[in-house]
């Protein structure tokens, strides 16, 4: 089997197992040889080799045989590592390629993205606190924030910061046992350990790390057994003064289905919100990306005002923004044209249309909480005091006016309230704005901020 054939098989596997599984388990495999029907692959750790053999071995064999390759079984081996020389820790992480975090003994880790370092993270007002906290933790030394909990919506930089912390820690102290993985992967490994009757190995493995990083922890909500094990792992590491870094799409207190004792543990460290991007930050991201693309697209010309137009129109999240810019560069390169405003509008028509519907109930809740200086959890929660109830009604009113959500859907996003409660709140604000100058002014300010 040639590397080209393996590349074709990998493309088929990507479709068969899904992008997440492919990135974490198939992409790190390095084909070495095919002899007497045995295909051999290099893997970062024995743990990964065993996992791939158990969970994806049959799929890999099926795709290889389907490609006309004479193979009967697979073998996975860990390359022999040269004796490491003692060297001073690097001052900063400069990761040339993606690498699996499971690089010490059999640590079970997901792959890191080489693009996600502190150098490539664009800092602005919405994310400066999260960036500063991540930097502090990545520098090592005494554990000050434990856990560090990063939360925010999709595409705001949580995963980027998580990867950046891991790269920086690895660069500063290569011997550090760092494990980065998603909550979903933690759950899969836990379930697999139960099935294979390897719970002691699982416990020993996760409680022996120096740094545990769990992305998207909201996915364990409602999974009682997984939460139980996560809770005990968390406590064991904290007792050893080991660093824990967690991310989620919302604050700990707002994750439904998460046990109260876990919420309490997650809130005992530093909880940092990555706010939605503002215009200046989005423009900074675009300018950074353009500089990165210059090497690949040397002859392309961008007309004045294009980046400003994109930063203004695409405000949902940074991933959408970066994807739009990449599409624009690729299209202009293929047709050999300058990137003008007209070309931008034609090329990105679907993205621009979708961005016109950018206001969400969650964004409204966040803006209203900030405007009235109250906690988001109180706005959504059960409190009925006037200082909370009136802003809640304002948020409900704006959700009804600025989104296409039905009253029952809006009610569910406000702590599971009945649609009649939402209806009453909307009606009350509609009445008040005609007679209360302050309410009318608040509504106008919030509407402008949300539609900007």
């Amino acid at each position: 089997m040639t590397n080209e054939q393996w590349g074709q098989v990998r493309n088929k596997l990507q479709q068969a197992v899904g992008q997440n599984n492919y990135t974490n388990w198939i992409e790190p495999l390095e084909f070495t040889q095919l002899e007497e029907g045995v295909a051999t692959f290099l893997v970062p750790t024995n743990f990964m080799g065993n996992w791939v053999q158990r969970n994806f071995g049959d799929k890999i064999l099926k795709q290889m045989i389907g490609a006309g390759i004479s193979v009967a079984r697979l073998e996975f081996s860990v390359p022999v590592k040269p004796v490491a020389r003692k060297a001073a820790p690097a001052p900063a992480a400069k990761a040339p390629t993606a690498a699996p975090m499971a690089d010490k003994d059999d640590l079970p880790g997901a792959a890191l993205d080489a693009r996600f370092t502190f150098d490539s993270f664009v800092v602005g007002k919405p994310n400066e606190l999260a960036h500063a906290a991540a930097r502090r933790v990545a520098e090592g030394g005494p554990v000050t924030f434990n856990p560090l909990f990063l939360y925010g919506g999709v595409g705001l930089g949580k995963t980027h910061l998580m990867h950046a912390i891991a790269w920086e820690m690895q660069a500063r102290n290569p011997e550090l046992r760092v494990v980065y993985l998603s909550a979903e992967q933690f759950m899969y490994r836990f379930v697999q350990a139960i099935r294979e009757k390897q719970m002691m190995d699982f416990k020993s493995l996760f409680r022996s790390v120096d740094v545990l990083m769990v992305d998207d922890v909201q996915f364990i909500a409602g999974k009682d057994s997984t939460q139980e094990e996560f809770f005990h792992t968390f406590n064991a590491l904290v007792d050893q003064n080991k660093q824990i870094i967690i991310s989620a799409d919302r604050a700990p207190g707002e994750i439904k289905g998460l046990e109260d004792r876990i919420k309490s543990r997650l809130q005992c460290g530093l909880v940092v919100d990555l706010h939605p991007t503002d215009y200046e930050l989005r423009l900074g991201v675009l300018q950074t990306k353009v500089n990165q693309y210059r090497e690949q697209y040397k002859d392309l010309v961008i007309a004045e005002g294009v980046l400003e137009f994109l930063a203004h129109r695409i405000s949902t999240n940074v991933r959408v923004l970066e994807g739009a810019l990449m599409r624009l560069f690729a299209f202009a390169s293929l047709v050999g044209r300058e990137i003008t405003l007209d070309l931008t509008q034609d090329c990105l028509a679907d993205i621009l249309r979708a961005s016109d519907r950018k206001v969400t109930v969650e964004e409204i809740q966040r803006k209203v909480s900030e405007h009235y200086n109250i906690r988001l959890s109180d706005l959504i929660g059960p409190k009925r005091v006037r200082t909370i109830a009136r802003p809640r009604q304002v948020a409900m009113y704006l959700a009804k006016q600025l989104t296409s959500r039905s009253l029952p859907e809006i009610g569910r996003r406000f702590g599971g309230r009945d649609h009649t409660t939402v209806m009453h709140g909307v009606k009350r604000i509609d009445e008040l704005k005609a007679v209360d100058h302050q309410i009318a002014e608040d509504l106008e300010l919030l509407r402008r901020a949300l539609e900007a």
Side-chain angles (χ1 to χ4, degrees):
M1 181 174 71
T2 64
N3 283 322
E4 183 178 353
Q5 286 177 304
W6 171 235
Q8 293 170 354
V9 170
R10 292 205 325 174
N11 290 337
K12 294 285 186 181
L13 286 167
Q14 187 171 6
Q15 299 171 10
V17 305
Q19 184 60 49
N20 191 43
N21 283 328
Y22 175 82
T23 300
N24 292 328
W25 303 110
I26 306 300
E27 198 170 40
L29 303 181
E30 182 182 337
F31 169 71
T32 57
Q33 64 179 14
L34 175 63
E35 286 186 2
E36 299 180 355
V38 179
T40 304
F41 298 86
L42 293 180
V43 289
T45 67
N46 288 323
F47 182 95
M48 176 175 277
N50 292 335
W51 180 273
V52 172
Q53 184 76 272
R54 285 197 304 266
N55 295 276
F56 304 108
D58 291 342
K59 288 185 175 66
I60 295 173
L61 277 173
K62 179 182 177 181
Q63 294 297 338
M64 291 174 71
I65 293 169
I69 300 165
S70 299
V71 58
R73 63 187 177 89
L74 309 176
E75 281 189 358
F76 302 90
S77 61
V78 178
V80 178
K81 299 178 185 177
V83 178
R85 296 180 181 177
K86 293 291 183 181
K94 301 288 184 182
T97 56
M101 285 303 296
D103 198 25
K104 296 170 182 64
D105 304 321
D106 282 340
L107 292 185
L112 290 179
D113 193 319
R115 299 169 301 168
F116 293 165
T117 65
F118 282 120
D119 287 343
S120 62
F121 189 83
V122 180
V123 184
K125 188 175 180 181
N127 61 27
E128 60 183 354
L129 177 57
H131 174 263
R135 274 280 195 189
R136 173 70 62 82
V137 168
E139 289 168 0
V143 176
T144 51
F145 314 133
N146 212 11
L148 171 62
F149 190 100
L150 305 171
Y151 76 95
V154 175
L156 299 184
K158 302 185 302 296
T159 298
H160 189 141
L161 282 179
M162 295 279 279
H163 285 226
I165 292 170
W167 281 123
E168 186 75 17
M169 285 180 160
Q170 293 281 72
R172 288 174 176 270
N173 185 357
E175 299 306 312
L176 207 62
R177 294 166 61 84
V178 180
V179 167
Y180 164 83
L181 76 171
S182 69
E184 204 170 16
Q185 290 164 336
F186 181 89
M187 181 177 67
Y188 286 157
R189 291 191 177 92
F190 171 67
V191 171
Q192 190 70 31
I194 293 175
R195 288 176 180 168
E196 301 289 334
K197 297 181 179 179
Q198 296 177 341
M199 276 306 300
M200 292 307 296
D201 291 341
F202 177 92
K203 291 175 184 290
S204 175
L205 200 61
F206 276 95
R207 298 177 193 189
S208 65
V209 303
D210 296 310
V211 181
L212 178 63
M213 310 179 72
V214 182
D215 211 351
D216 290 322
V217 79
Q218 72 271 7
F219 285 117
I220 69 170
K223 313 293 193 304
D224 293 344
S225 298
T226 304
Q227 290 192 62
E228 177 83 16
E229 184 55 38
F230 178 79
F231 176 78
H232 292 306
T233 299
F234 185 103
N235 284 343
L237 291 175
V238 169
D239 288 344
Q240 298 174 59
N241 204 32
K242 301 300 177 64
Q243 181 69 61
I244 300 174
I245 305 159
I246 307 289
S247 82
D249 62 354
R250 68 205 80 170
E254 296 161 18
I255 302 177
K256 291 183 179 179
L258 199 62
E259 293 179 4
D260 288 340
R261 59 179 179 169
I262 294 180
K263 291 180 182 179
S264 176
R265 292 293 189 277
L266 295 177
Q267 290 170 324
C268 70
L270 178 64
V271 178
V272 185
D273 183 3
L274 283 89
H275 297 286
T277 57
D278 57 17
Y279 171 79
E280 289 77 14
L281 179 56
R282 293 194 294 273
L283 185 58
V285 168
L286 288 172
Q287 290 167 340
T288 300
K289 284 295 174 183
V290 166
N291 291 334
Q292 292 175 2
Y293 294 156
R294 285 293 185 194
E295 186 66 27
Q296 184 178 354
Y297 301 99
K298 295 179 181 178
D299 299 327
L300 283 186
V301 177
I302 306 177
E304 188 175 345
V306 169
L307 296 186
E308 289 78 3
F309 171 77
L310 290 176
H312 176 72
R313 288 292 302 276
I314 304 176
S315 57
T316 48
N317 68 63
V318 172
R319 286 181 200 164
V320 174
L321 191 63
E322 291 178 350
L325 186 65
M326 170 55 83
R327 186 203 291 189
L328 191 57
F329 267 75
F331 180 77
S333 175
L334 288 170
V335 299
R337 290 169 57 188
E338 176 185 353
I339 300 177
T340 63
L341 200 54
D342 287 342
L343 182 139
T344 299
Q345 291 174 313
D346 290 342
C347 177
L348 304 178
D350 58 328
I351 296 176
L352 295 172
R353 278 197 303 271
S355 294
D356 287 339
R357 302 187 296 273
K358 62 182 178 297
V359 180
T360 66
V361 175
E362 289 73 21
E363 288 170 328
I364 291 169
Q365 291 170 338
R366 200 178 303 280
K367 281 289 184 187
V368 171
S369 299
E370 292 171 358
H371 180 80
Y372 288 104
N373 196 28
I374 61 175
R375 291 166 57 91
L376 183 56
S377 56
D378 288 338
L379 184 79
I380 302 170
K383 291 184 179 179
R384 295 184 179 182
V385 293
R386 186 182 179 85
T387 54
I388 302 295
R390 187 67 77 223
R392 184 184 296 136
Q393 290 177 333
V394 167
M396 289 176 174
Y397 176 86
L398 289 169
K400 180 68 174 66
Q401 297 296 317
L402 302 180
T403 77
S404 58
R405 299 293 180 185
S406 65
L407 293 178
E409 286 176 315
I410 294 172
R412 282 195 291 272
R413 283 166 170 77
F414 281 85
R417 285 177 164 81
D418 189 81
H419 75 281
T420 55
T421 303
V422 180
M423 190 186 303
H424 170 74
V426 171
K427 183 180 178 182
R428 183 61 181 144
I429 295 301
D430 208 24
E431 294 169 349
L432 283 174
K433 70 175 185 175
V435 296
D436 189 322
H437 174 74
Q438 187 60 53
I439 287 287
E441 186 177 321
D442 287 347
L443 288 171
E444 184 60 26
L445 285 172
L446 285 163
R447 185 191 296 274
R448 287 181 183 176
L450 288 161
E451 292 182 339

